[in-house]
Amino acid sequence: DTGVSQDPRHKITKRGQNVTFRCDPISEHNRLYWYRQTLGQGPEFLTYFQNEAQLEKSRLLSDRFSAERPKGSFSTLEIQRTEQGDSAMYLCASSSPAGGNTGELFFGEGSRLTVL
Amino acid sequence: KNEVEQSPQNLTAQEGEFITINCSYSVGISALHWLQQHPGGGIVSLFMLSSGKKKHGRLIATINIQEKHSSLHITASHPRDSAVYICAVSGGTSYGKLTFGQGTILTVHP
């Protein structure tokens, strides 16, 4: 397994368009997280899945944002009607359950979104 | 005031110097993470600790739970250590829901 992968790595879109990002976590990890990072800032939590269940969503995640993890494996993050303020790096991370190698996060390389 | 504060925000060093980055937090935590981020975005987990001290190669991380403070030390720094170092904390049972500091930009000159 090569770690957490994200696709696409870069996306340039026009304001108002919809975009979708995909994250493939490490295969045995049941926890998956989405974070957003703007330039010069630390990442901010967006949402968290345990298996297919979305257990928590940040208030940063407006109605235009939706995330899914339909089979408890890969996840998608969709942004509808993009705005320039959505421009950021979208980071995905996964981890294994508590116990054993507990809680260490493995991050993907991120998907950079630029909204023109 | 942010829940996680790092200092310094920027750090420049000469190769070989001993480096310390500090992190203070104001909330109860279950674990503290030190992460490294290189230009282009990828984040790598360096340490996750809830007490005491951990060492990996030239990197040492310590945490003082009572004082709500952690430090990351780099011994014999090298230009390849140049990166952003981020402190993040997690609470409760959701180990991965992290609250991040703003990061420390480290530049090590040869």
Side-chain angles (χ1 to χ4, degrees), chain B residues 66-89:
Chain B
Q66 287 74 30
E67 295 185 3
K68 296 187 175 179
H69 181 270
S70 175
S71 293
L72 176 69
H73 306 287
I74 305 175
T75 61
S77 60
H78 190 277
R80 66 175 174 266
D81 297 326
S82 299
V84 178
Y85 291 84
I86 305 173
C87 171
V89 300

Side-chain angles (χ1 to χ4, degrees), chain A residues 9 31 33 35 37 40-45 48 56 89 91 95 98 102-105 107-109 112, chain B residues 33 35 37 40-48 84 86 93-103:
Chain A
R9 294 289 312 280
R31 295 182 176 184
Y33 304 83
Y35 290 87
Q37 186 177 26
Q41 302 295 315
E44 297 173 297
F45 170 78
Y48 152 54
E56 193 167 350
M89 176 75 83
L91 294 160
S95 70
T102 61
E104 182 181 3
L105 284 187
F107 284 84
E109 292 290 317
R112 183 172 295 283
Chain B
H33 304 246
L35 308 161
Q37 186 172 31
I43 293 178
V44 174
S45 176
L46 298 175
F47 295 103
M48 187 182 79
V84 178
I86 305 173
T93 57
S94 178
Y95 287 88
K97 183 191 171 186
L98 302 181
T99 301
F100 291 78
Q102 287 197 305

Side-chain angles (χ1 to χ4, degrees), chain B residues 11-89:
Chain B
L11 182 56
T12 300
Q14 289 297 125
E15 184 173 357
E17 287 184 355
F18 180 85
I19 288 164
T20 296
I21 301 171
N22 295 300
C23 175
S24 296
Y25 53 93
S26 57
V27 294
I29 67 168
S30 56
L32 183 142
H33 304 246
W34 281 103
L35 308 161
Q36 180 192 57
Q37 186 172 31
H38 281 282
I43 293 178
V44 174
S45 176
L46 298 175
F47 295 103
M48 187 182 79
L49 64 166
S50 55
S51 65
K53 175 180 174 178
K54 287 189 175 180
K55 184 176 189 294
H56 182 70
R58 295 180 295 105
L59 302 179
I60 303 166
T62 63
I63 187 169
N64 184 317
I65 297 294
Q66 287 74 30
E67 295 185 3
K68 296 187 175 179
H69 181 270
S70 175
S71 293
L72 176 69
H73 306 287
I74 305 175
T75 61
S77 60
H78 190 277
R80 66 175 174 266
D81 297 326
S82 299
V84 178
Y85 291 84
I86 305 173
C87 171
V89 300

